[in-house]
Amino acid sequence: MTARAWNHIEPAPQDLFGFIAIDEHTHKGCVIQEATDLGARLVMIDADAVPGDFILYSFSFEKALPCKAVSRDDEVITAWFNCDLTDPGCEPPAGARNG
């Protein structure tokens, strides 16, 4: 039998896999590098393709999470969960590039 990538998954990987909903027909895969109850750092090939507001799915989460990108570069998005910019606590940091 040929060895396949999924035969060699580490037993407790730190990074989780997820999907970002771009629209109702388009999803992009990502690695959830770090997640807290407030937000997450997402790594993907083309972060510029992700809008400022998006939905994050993962088998590791109990439900889909609405997100707002608060900073990004070519491959990394930092996002807050369930963020509404009318909430003063959800203001992006000064100098952050918004989605």
Side-chain angles (χ1 to χ4, degrees), residues 1-11 17:
M1 185 162 116
T2 307
R4 296 196 169 122
W6 53 85
N7 292 340
H8 304 288
I9 296 173
E10 293 296 325
F17 295 98

Side-chain angles (χ1 to χ4, degrees), residues 34-89:
E34 185 177 355
T36 69
D37 56 342
L38 300 175
R41 180 179 300 119
L42 311 172
V43 179
M44 57 190 308
I45 293 173
D46 182 16
D48 285 335
V50 177
D53 294 311
F54 59 90
I55 305 294
L56 178 63
Y57 299 93
S58 175
F59 291 120
S60 302
F61 298 158
E62 292 179 8
K63 60 182 180 176
L65 297 168
C67 297
K68 177 162 289 297
V70 292
S71 69
R72 69 173 76 211
D73 63 24
D74 291 341
E75 297 178 345
V76 179
I77 296 173
T78 303
W80 286 337
F81 299 143
N82 300 314
C83 185
D84 180 3
L85 280 182
T86 60
D87 177 3

